[in-house]
Amino acid sequence: MAEEKSLAEIQREVDRYISQFKEGYFSPLALVARMVEEVGELAREVNHRYGEKPKKPDEAENSVELELGDILFITICFANSLGIDLTKAHDQVLEKFNTRDADRWTKKHTE
């Protein structure tokens, strides 16, 4: 089993990969376009797997896991290109959910 990586490690790993190319990171606008493209591919895969639209016989096999991986990669590229620490961003979002939405959902009670 692969060793668990921190989000910071994953950001560094993606940066090492992108840094080997002269082109570097795409522009923020190009990264948003790529992200939308990948989300569309995820939607298509989810629709094939869980929705009413079966794949065509000649369509390649794909997976929700791979599509989510593509979205994660693009998200990390976007964050890296703008110098955003995704661990910090995650902590800020979770804090927002824990305060703003603290009583929004019905909590499970453990005994």
Side-chain angles (χ1 to χ4, degrees), residues 31-111:
L31 286 165
V32 167
R34 289 273 301 130
M35 188 177 291
V36 169
E37 179 184 342
E38 295 299 344
V39 169
E41 290 176 15
L42 173 64
R44 183 175 180 87
E45 188 61 32
V46 169
N47 193 24
H48 287 318
R49 185 162 304 219
Y50 304 103
E52 289 74 34
K53 185 180 178 186
K55 282 191 177 194
K56 297 174 188 171
D58 60 339
E59 271 187 278
E61 280 301 312
N62 213 341
S63 72
V64 171
E65 181 179 21
L66 286 175
E67 295 305 341
L68 285 171
D70 286 343
I71 292 168
L72 179 60
F73 182 81
I74 295 301
T75 300
I76 292 168
C77 286
F78 202 171
N80 285 356
S81 74
L82 297 175
I84 294 171
D85 176 343
L86 284 173
T87 300
K88 182 179 175 185
H90 164 78
D91 291 346
Q92 290 170 339
V93 168
L94 204 55
E95 175 64 23
K96 177 179 69 173
F97 289 151
N98 283 323
T99 54
R100 182 192 70 192
D101 295 339
D103 298 318
R104 186 174 187 176
W105 310 107
T106 307
K107 292 188 178 172
K108 295 180 182 179
H109 295 286
T110 57
E111 293 177 33

Side-chain angles (χ1 to χ4, degrees), residues 5-14 80 85-87:
K5 299 176 187 178
S6 71
L7 193 48
E9 289 170 317
I10 294 170
Q11 279 194 257
R12 288 190 295 271
E13 187 175 50
V14 169
N80 285 356
D85 176 343
L86 284 173
T87 300

Side-chain angles (χ1 to χ4, degrees), residues 14-28:
V14 169
D15 193 60
R16 283 192 299 274
Y17 173 77
I18 295 296
S19 294
Q20 68 182 326
F21 304 108
K22 288 181 183 178
E23 294 82 0
Y25 291 104
F26 293 157
S27 71

